[in-house]
Amino acid sequence: MGSELVKPDHLDRKAVVYVRQSTPHQVIANQESLKLQYALSQRARDLGWREADIDVIDSDLGQSGAAAAHRRGFKDLVARVTLGEVGLILSMDVTRLARNCSDWYPLLDVCGHRGCLIADRDGIYDPGTPNGRLLLGLKGTISELELHTIRSRMTTGLIAKAERGDLALQLPAGLVRDPSGVVTKDPNIEVQERLLLLFETFLKVRTAAHVMRTFTSRGLALPRRDRHGDLRWQPATVSAVTAMLKNPAYAGAFVYGRTWQKPSQIPGQRPQKSPRRGTDWRIVVRDKYPTYIDWETFEKIQAMLRDNRAEYQHIKSRGIPRDGAALLHGITYCGECGHKMTVRYKGGSQYVCNHLKIQRGAPECQNLRAAPIDAQVAAAFLEAVAPAEIDALSKARKAHLQSERALRHAEEQQIERLRYQATLAERQFNRADPDNRLVTGELERRWEAALLELRRAEEALAQRMVPNAKEPLGVPQDLRAKVIALGNRLPVLWENPATRRSSQGTLALPDREGGDAPLRSRQSRCAHCMARRLNYRADDHAAGQCRGRVAAA
C-alpha cells in the first residue's frame, strides 16, 4: 500500500521508526501499545522500503516527552534528519515524538528543509508543504495541551487527597500503615523507645551533633527506612539525626510540599529539590498520625535547630556555644549600630564590631576589652546561682541518672535484638542442606557476623556497667555538706587559672587537704597549650605530658 507523497528520493534514504513510552511502569504494563509501535516497521515495508533500510530508535523508553533534554534517541533522530539520512519518520502519533512545541517545530523545520516525511496512524505528511505543516502544527499544539490537561487533572486529584491527609506518602521509621490504610506506631518496642530517646536526648543536649556523639559513644543505632521502605538499623549520623528531628510526622502531622523544584543553572540538568521552611509548607494536616512528641515540642525543636545555625545575617540566629576565653561569644550586640559583635583573641580577648568595616569599608564601630565585661557578667551569674546551688545539683544528678538509665535500657534492647538476629541466623544455617555449599557458606558468614556484632555490644555494655546500678537520685548528706562548703569557694574556683571551659573533661583543682577535687572545666592557662591551640587536662600537666607550665594567676 503506497502513497503519492513517497518519492524515489525518499526510498533511497532510511525509514526510522521512533518508539517511546513515558514511564518505566508503562514500558512494563502497556505491552500492547509497545507492540503497535514496533509493528510500524511493517508499514514502512508496505510503503516500499527494504528491510535493511528500516531502523528502529527505542532508546527513549521510559522517558517523558515533555522535554528533549534527556532523550538521546530524539536527539539522534534530529541529527540524522539534519544530515539528510532519513526519508521517513514513523510514529504512533505526534505525542510519541514530542509534547512540547519548542521541540516539535524545530523538527518540522528540519524535515521540511531536508524533504523528510512524517507518518502517524492517521496518514503521511510532508512538512515542506503548507497543508502538511498546518496539520502537523495543529497536532503538536493539541499534544502539548493534552499534556497540561492530563497533568492538571492528576494534580487536582492529588491535592484534594492531600488536603484531607489521605495521600499515602512514605512513612518514616516508627510509623507503619496496616492493610486497611490506617497509620499506627511500629509494634517494635525498641523502635518506639529509641525514637523517644532521640527526642529526649536532643532536648537535654540541644544540638544534633551532641546527640550523634551520645548515640555513637554508646553504640546505639537508629531505625531508618531504605529506598525500598524496609526498616534498617544504621549508625547515628548528624544528617540522620537532623532528618528525624525535622520530620513533622513524629508530631502527628501530615505534610505535603516540604520541598520545591529548584531550576538548575546548568542547561540540560534536571532541577534539584530544595527544602522549604516550615511556614512555607503547602499542606499541613495535624493529628493525622500517632504522635511521639506533641506539636509544641516539635516547634520548640525546630526553633532550637534554627538557632544553632550561626547565620546571623540571614536568619538572625545565635549559633551554639563554642570554646573560647570570652564568655559572651555569639550573644553580644553593638549598642551603636545594632550588629552582632565578634571576638578577637589577638592581643587579648576583645569584643569587636567590624560588620560595617567588612561590608562597606567603614572604620570599626567599637573595640572593647572582654576582661572587665566578663568579670561583671561572671559576678552577676555567681550571685544569681548562689541561693539555688543545692536544688540545681539535685536536679542535675536526677537528670543525669535518668539519662544514663534510659541509655542503658536502650543498649539492653539493642543486645536483645542482636541476640534474636544471631539465633535466627543459626536456625537458618541449621535448616539448610549441608550439601549445598553455596548456600551454607553464605548463611555461615551471616551467622558469624551476627555473633560478632552481638559480642561487641555485650562487651561494650559490660565495660560501662557499675556495681551499684541503683544510685540515689537525690544528693546524699555527705555530698550536700561538701556542696555547701564549696558554695563559698565558687568565686575563687571560677577565677582559678587551672579551671578550663571545655565541657568534655573534668577539672582537677587542689582542695584544702592537698588532693585533687573533680569540678567543672575551663580552658587551661598553659602558654604552650594556648600557643598550639591544645586543650590538655590538668592531670596531663601534672603527669608531665605537656612541655609547658600552667601560668600563675
Side-chain angles (χ1 to χ4, degrees):
M1 175 174 69
S3 173
E4 61 181 8
L5 294 178
V6 179
K7 307 297 182 182
D9 177 61
H10 299 122
L11 296 175
D12 291 339
R13 291 176 283 173
K14 295 283 187 178
V16 176
V17 178
Y18 183 78
V19 180
R20 185 185 66 83
Q21 294 282 68
S22 298
T23 62
H25 175 73
Q26 292 182 3
V27 176
I28 299 174
N30 300 351
Q31 289 293 317
E32 192 63 29
S33 174
L34 205 59
K35 292 178 181 178
L36 291 176
Q37 294 187 63
Y38 281 112
L40 293 174
S41 299
Q42 180 60 41
R43 186 178 179 189
R45 288 190 290 267
D46 295 339
L47 291 173
W49 268 270
R50 296 173 298 177
E51 184 69 30
D53 294 333
I54 301 175
D55 294 339
V56 177
I57 296 179
D58 57 0
S59 58
D60 290 339
L61 289 175
Q63 297 289 337
S64 173
H70 308 288
R71 290 193 290 154
R72 293 180 299 175
F74 183 79
K75 293 179 180 179
D76 180 55
L77 174 63
V78 174
R80 295 180 63 180
V81 172
T82 305
L83 295 175
E85 299 177 359
V86 181
L88 175 66
I89 299 175
L90 296 102
S91 180
M92 275 292 295
D93 50 45
V94 172
T95 60
R96 299 302 92 197
L97 285 167
R99 282 191 177 274
N100 192 326
C101 289
S102 61
D103 300 327
W104 177 241
Y105 280 103
L107 176 62
L108 296 185
D109 293 338
V110 174
C111 290
H113 179 68
R114 289 297 184 179
C116 176
L117 304 176
I118 297 178
D120 59 12
R121 58 185 174 184
D122 297 327
I124 302 176
Y125 311 94
D126 185 1
T129 63
N131 290 336
R133 185 176 179 85
L134 174 62
L135 291 174
L136 290 174
L138 289 175
K139 284 177 175 286
T141 303
I142 294 174
S143 173
E144 185 179 43
L145 178 62
E146 183 184 18
L147 176 64
H148 291 284
T149 303
I150 295 173
R151 183 177 298 169
S152 176
R153 187 183 302 120
M154 296 178 63
T155 302
T156 301
L158 184 144
I159 294 299
K161 199 170 185 179
E163 288 177 347
R164 301 193 307 269
D166 297 334
L167 188 62
L169 301 178
Q170 184 175 4
L171 298 173
L175 297 175
V176 295
R177 185 176 283 107
D178 62 14
S180 62
V182 178
V183 177
T184 60
K185 286 187 177 182
D186 195 313
N188 191 331
I189 300 299
E190 183 186 9
V191 174
Q192 295 185 23
E193 295 189 359
R194 189 63 51 83
L195 291 173
L196 292 174
L197 179 62
L198 172 72
F199 291 112
E200 292 173 358
T201 305
F202 177 80
L203 291 174
K204 293 177 182 177
V205 301
R206 303 181 67 88
T207 66
H210 201 158
V211 174
M212 178 273 297
R213 290 193 294 268
T214 301
F215 276 59
T216 303
S217 63
R218 308 300 288 256
L220 297 177
L222 290 178
R224 302 285 288 166
R225 293 201 184 277
D226 57 15
R227 59 191 183 95
H228 302 293
D230 298 328
L231 183 67
R232 295 286 185 269
W233 289 92
Q234 300 177 354
T237 60
V238 175
S239 59
V241 171
T242 304
M244 300 176 79
L245 292 173
K246 290 184 176 181
N247 198 323
Y250 292 120
F254 169 88
V255 176
Y256 178 80
R258 295 176 60 193
T259 60
W260 63 286
Q261 296 288 344
K262 184 178 181 180
S264 176
Q265 302 296 330
I266 303 176
Q269 187 176 0
R270 295 181 182 271
Q272 302 293 325
K273 284 187 177 181
S274 180
R276 291 176 173 174
R277 295 177 59 107
T279 55
D280 298 333
W281 290 340
R282 188 169 183 178
I283 297 174
V284 179
V285 182
R286 297 189 190 177
D287 303 327
K288 198 64 183 178
Y289 301 146
T291 61
Y292 283 90
I293 55 175
D294 55 43
W295 186 256
E296 290 72 18
T297 304
F298 175 76
E299 290 182 332
K300 178 181 178 182
I301 291 175
Q302 306 315 303
M304 293 167 63
L305 290 173
R306 288 193 299 269
D307 198 47
N308 286 344
R309 297 177 58 189
E311 296 184 6
Y312 172 75
Q313 296 300 328
H314 295 88
I315 58 178
K316 309 298 181 182
S317 62
R318 182 178 61 184
I320 61 175
R322 302 181 184 275
D323 294 336
L327 292 179
L328 307 181
H329 178 72
I331 59 175
T332 308
Y333 296 87
C334 178
E336 297 291 337
C337 64
H339 291 95
K340 178 178 285 190
M341 302 182 72
T342 60
V343 176
R344 179 188 298 165
Y345 290 107
K346 184 177 181 180
S349 301
Q350 305 174 30
Y351 294 115
V352 181
C353 179
N354 58 358
H355 175 79
L356 297 178
K357 179 180 180 181
I358 296 175
Q359 298 294 330
R360 304 178 184 177
E364 288 184 355
C365 192
Q366 290 193 75
N367 187 336
L368 305 175
R369 290 290 178 180
I373 300 176
D374 291 350
Q376 295 293 329
V377 173
F381 168 75
L382 295 174
E383 182 181 357
V385 301
E389 292 171 347
I390 302 299
D391 293 338
L393 178 61
S394 178
K395 292 179 180 179
R397 282 179 55 83
K398 289 182 179 180
H400 176 71
L401 293 177
Q402 289 175 355
S403 176
E404 285 295 320
R405 290 176 181 177
L407 292 172
R408 184 173 301 172
H409 180 63
E411 291 179 290
E412 293 172 352
Q413 284 184 327
Q414 181 166 273
I415 289 176
E416 183 178 355
R417 172 173 53 84
L418 295 176
R419 188 176 291 116
Y420 166 76
Q421 292 178 354
T423 305
L424 179 61
E426 180 183 5
R427 290 202 304 265
Q428 291 175 343
F429 174 78
N430 293 331
R431 292 175 182 175
D433 186 359
D435 295 333
N436 194 346
R437 296 295 183 182
L438 298 177
V439 175
T440 55
E442 175 63 18
L443 292 177
E444 184 179 10
R445 185 193 65 79
R446 296 181 182 179
W447 184 16
E448 291 177 351
L451 290 174
L452 179 61
E453 189 175 3
L454 173 61
R455 183 166 60 251
R456 288 175 178 174
E458 290 177 340
E459 292 176 353
L461 179 60
Q463 292 178 358
R464 282 189 289 269
M465 291 292 289
V466 293
N468 298 326
K470 297 183 178 180
E471 300 181 20
L473 294 179
V475 180
Q477 293 297 328
D478 56 344
L479 182 58
R480 180 183 294 267
K482 292 182 179 180
V483 172
I484 294 176
L486 182 63
N488 299 325
R489 301 177 58 200
L490 187 57
V492 179
L493 298 176
W494 181 277
E495 298 297 334
N496 194 298
T499 308
R500 297 194 306 269
R501 297 177 183 268
S502 173
S503 61
Q504 303 299 324
T506 58
L507 172 65
L509 290 177
D511 59 13
R512 295 179 180 177
E513 289 75 24
D516 287 339
L519 296 172
R520 196 159 193 168
S521 57
R522 289 183 67 193
Q523 185 178 4
S524 174
R525 300 288 181 94
C526 172
H528 175 71
C529 296
M530 294 178 65
R532 297 174 58 87
R533 294 186 178 180
L534 300 178
N535 191 16
Y536 287 100
R537 301 171 184 264
D539 299 340
D540 298 333
H541 294 87
Q545 297 182 16
C546 176
R547 293 179 298 172
R549 183 170 56 86
V550 178

